[in-house]
Amino acid sequence: MNMIEGHMAIEVPENVPVWDVDPYDHNILRDPYDYYSELRAKGPFVYIPKYAILATGRYLEAKEVFTDWERFVSSRGVGLQDFKLEEPWRPPSVVLEVDPPYHTKTRTVIARALSPKAIRALKEGFQIAADKLVDDLLAKGTSEIVVDLAEAYTTTVFPAAVGLSETDSRRLVDYGAMVFNALGPDNELRQSAMAQAPDIVPWIMERCKRENLSTDGIGATIYAAADDGEITEEEAGMLVRSLLSAGVDTTVTGIGSLIWCLATWPEQFEIMKADPKLVRPAFEETLRFTSPVHSFFRTANVDTEVSGIKIVDGTKIMCSLASANRDERQWPQPDKFDVTRMPAGHLAMGLGIHGCVGQVIARAEVEAVSNALADKVGSIEFAGEAVWRPNHSIRALDRLPVSFGKK
Ligand code: OVM
């Protein structure tokens, strides 16, 4: 078998255009929208020879591949690597990188710990934290939103909600960067993220232990399921690791991108401020428009067909969620940021059995920030260049200097 980036190198399927492009090129990772347009225009799938994978940037196909967990499995990894053929860099996630029936058990436990009822109790604390940070930034006038708001806020309220006994903004953010870069090719970007593993991984694993968690947080709810015999003690620790893997960089990115959108389209900020009912839809539109997680893979686990294209067992399929969320076949005026759109069905948080299990807490965290902006901030203006940070699976801001004006 011919291997490439840890998976089987497939042949070009019939009727699939070959596109000699590197989706992990830094210029594309920083500004991917021309790449997405071309990806969608070429057809339902393209074959990318550099990685011998299929890629889809269209809504319908991305949705079909994402929903059908029986044909398109997660247990072989949701990045370029096929876990059936190569050992992953860390023990696989017991919820992301598994399939039913095993998945059903762990998902039930983590979903309970992150249920709307569990999250409701956290909202007041989120609002107090967001109000205070926004007040501080208003007093400062000009600030760098990625570090001073998005990271500062998320790495305070989220670890507290989980029940971590100690937090470390840099390690949490850089662990997320490792986890999300790990899904891509073994290039310089992945290697430089991984170079931090010896410092970060032991710290993260220590945080996941029962004795290092409060008795009343999300982590404790997960460990309670081990006491009840629903999962093992080890699985409970692994589910806490999932919280720390997926719960920081995603939310940090969502907050940064929301503020970037509102600074770029001040008239949309005006519309949102005029109607508090638009605070939630404004974030959903930010999710559709910016798609913090730009891509995930599935692996075909049978010989099958999608949209008339034959797909063989072992095929890695790169699903560009960010492109699907701009697909002109699905969205009228897809490149318009419109806080009144209410983009039901966007793929930014996936969907189906692997759909983001943390979406209730993520929305609650961001909503508190949006409320604070709508209440207190009159204007958001760029105070320097917004810079994007290349990552194999996340499109995040690296730097966002803005001036907040008082209302
Ligand atoms: C995990 C996890 C879940 C969702 C996303 C993610 C790749 C990781 O369970 O570790 O990032």
Side-chain angles (χ1 to χ4, degrees):
M1 189 192 321
N2 228 340
M3 297 274 292
I4 192 162
E5 291 292 347
H7 66 269
M8 180 185 75
I10 57 154
E11 307 286 320
V12 188
E14 223 174 291
N15 299 319
V16 172
V18 175
W19 189 12
D20 192 10
V21 68
D22 182 0
Y24 297 103
D25 182 291
H26 282 207
N27 293 319
I28 293 181
L29 292 177
R30 282 202 195 87
D31 181 10
Y33 291 99
D34 289 341
Y35 162 74
Y36 293 151
S37 295
E38 205 171 333
L39 176 65
R40 290 190 302 270
K42 282 182 185 291
F45 293 93
V46 305
Y47 177 87
I48 299 178
K50 185 167 170 82
Y51 302 113
I53 57 170
L54 296 186
T56 182
R58 290 197 188 171
Y59 183 85
L60 271 182
E61 284 76 16
K63 185 171 166 169
E64 179 169 340
V65 171
F66 251 59
T67 341
D68 194 336
W69 53 268
E70 293 186 276
R71 287 188 297 156
F72 303 109
V73 297
S74 292
S75 55
R76 295 170 74 167
V78 298
L80 271 175
Q81 242 190 347
D82 185 344
F83 292 2
K84 213 169 137 175
L85 303 175
E86 244 190 41
E87 200 182 327
W89 72 282
R90 60 172 197 166
S93 162
V94 297
V95 64
L96 174 75
E97 291 156 334
V98 293
D99 306 317
Y102 179 82
H103 169 266
T104 313
K105 177 181 83 168
T106 50
R107 170 86 186 196
T108 301
V109 170
I110 195 169
R112 183 189 308 133
L114 294 166
S115 68
K117 186 168 181 282
I119 303 312
R120 208 166 298 140
L122 299 168
K123 287 190 179 178
E124 203 184 313
F126 291 172
Q127 197 59 62
I128 291 168
D131 284 343
K132 173 158 188 347
L133 268 167
V134 170
D135 282 339
D136 291 350
L137 297 184
L138 271 168
K140 260 174 57 178
T142 297
S143 50
E144 198 289 291
I145 286 304
V146 174
V147 173
D148 293 347
L149 178 59
E151 292 183 357
Y153 172 75
T154 307
T155 62
T156 307
V157 300
F158 185 71
V162 173
L164 294 208
S165 54
E166 100 183 37
T167 184
D168 179 330
S169 193
R170 188 195 60 81
R171 283 196 178 104
L172 286 167
V173 168
D174 289 353
Y175 185 63
M178 286 170 61
V179 164
F180 284 97
N181 275 319
L183 304 180
D186 188 20
N187 59 17
E188 200 265 318
L189 177 59
R190 189 180 192 273
Q191 284 163 17
S192 65
M194 288 304 169
Q196 306 191 62
D199 167 55
I200 295 176
V201 173
W203 183 85
I204 290 284
M205 295 316 289
E206 197 58 29
R207 305 279 74 72
C208 295
K209 290 183 182 164
R210 187 198 284 261
E211 64 266 29
N212 292 330
L213 293 163
S214 70
T215 53
D216 61 353
I218 295 165
T221 309
I222 291 173
Y223 273 101
D227 294 331
D228 294 345
E230 222 177 334
I231 54 172
T232 66
E233 187 84 4
E234 196 189 339
E235 287 168 332
M238 289 292 283
L239 287 176
V240 176
R241 192 193 71 173
S242 286
L243 297 174
L244 303 184
S245 303
V248 176
D249 290 49
T250 48
T251 313
V252 167
T253 303
I255 292 169
S257 294
L258 170 71
I259 293 170
W260 179 84
C261 286
L262 297 175
T264 306
W265 292 282
E267 75 285 0
Q268 294 294 319
F269 185 37
E270 292 302 321
I271 296 169
M272 181 184 106
K273 273 187 299 180
D275 183 357
K277 283 196 300 298
L278 290 176
V279 159
R280 270 174 171 268
F283 183 54
E284 292 311 304
E285 177 67 347
T286 300
L287 285 175
R288 182 196 71 83
F289 195 85
T290 65
S291 301
V293 176
H294 60 72
S295 59
F296 264 143
F297 288 73
R298 293 291 186 261
T299 314
N301 202 38
V302 286
D303 292 342
T304 185
E305 211 178 289
V306 176
S307 301
I309 301 301
K310 289 204 160 54
I311 297 175
V312 298
D313 187 340
T315 300
K316 279 284 176 183
I317 307 171
M318 183 182 200
C319 300
S320 289
L321 304 172
S323 173
N325 281 339
R326 298 284 193 102
D327 187 349
E328 39 289 285
R329 292 156 200 79
Q330 179 68 18
W331 312 98
Q333 293 187 270
D335 297 328
K336 183 177 188 315
F337 177 75
D338 175 0
V339 299
T340 68
R341 181 191 298 266
M342 319 228 179
H346 72 70
L347 299 183
M349 290 187 170
L351 78 190
I353 66 162
H354 289 286
C356 178
V357 74
Q359 57 186 283
V360 176
I361 189 168
R363 289 194 176 99
E365 286 174 69
V366 180
E367 195 179 334
V369 173
S370 304
N371 286 338
L373 296 174
D375 280 358
K376 300 167 183 287
V377 177
S379 62
I380 308 175
E381 277 171 28
F382 288 106
E385 201 197 340
V387 180
W388 297 87
R389 177 188 301 171
N391 180 289
H392 288 157
S393 319
I394 289 204
R395 183 155 181 268
L397 286 153
D398 188 51
R399 238 178 317 129
L400 178 58
V402 303
S403 301
F404 281 169
K406 287 202 179 71
K407 209 168 167 177

